[in-house]
Amino acid sequence: MNAHHEKRRSPRRRAESVIEVTDSISGRPVGRVVDLSIEGMMLLVDRPVVNDALYQFAFALPLPGGGLRTIEVGVHEQWTDRADMPGHYWAGFRIIDILAEDAAALAAWLDAHA
């Protein structure tokens, strides 16, 4: 994890619990959320993702009052680096498509621990 973080424009929140991410198209697990912002996300994945590719991801976001909300996002891969754990990678994505209701839920999640 290096200079990639300098490109951030909005504050990120680290995931306090495991938030698993799946590929909405294939249904396959992708990895887990490391941190999230309204504009992007960093994941820990167990295989490299395709450079500069577009993905459709889904994940269950814990709601501030309890419960979960499934969020779907269209993302664009920005960078991938090897993690310290063998066979794992850090991957950064820019969110390029999200429903207004999902964006509001994500904003509430971010605000709950700002």
Side-chain angles (χ1 to χ4, degrees):
M1 298 188 318
N2 48 37
H4 304 293
H5 303 292
E6 296 171 14
K7 297 178 184 176
R8 293 183 181 166
R9 289 172 284 184
S10 56
R12 292 202 175 203
R13 177 177 163 202
R14 184 168 288 283
E16 296 163 358
S17 60
V18 175
I19 301 174
E20 297 289 342
V21 178
T22 58
D23 183 306
S24 298
I25 297 166
S26 71
R28 291 178 54 181
V30 175
R32 61 184 175 95
V33 172
V34 175
D35 63 33
L36 276 169
S37 79
I38 202 69
E39 296 179 343
M41 60 196 315
M42 184 169 84
L43 304 182
L44 179 63
V45 298
D46 60 6
R47 60 186 166 272
V49 294
V50 178
N51 184 43
D52 202 34
L54 301 177
Y55 292 93
Q56 188 74 24
F57 289 160
F59 55 93
L61 191 68
L63 297 174
L68 298 171
R69 178 185 177 95
T70 299
I71 305 286
E72 287 220 26
V73 292
V75 296
H76 180 208
E77 189 271 353
Q78 302 294 297
W79 57 267
T80 302
D81 284 335
R82 285 190 182 278
D84 294 337
M85 294 178 286
H88 287 82
Y89 302 83
W90 304 110
F93 299 89
R94 182 171 53 93
I95 295 173
I96 57 173
D97 187 39
I98 185 170
L99 292 175
E101 305 84 45
D102 287 350
L106 177 54
W109 183 81
L110 293 164
D111 290 344
H113 297 283

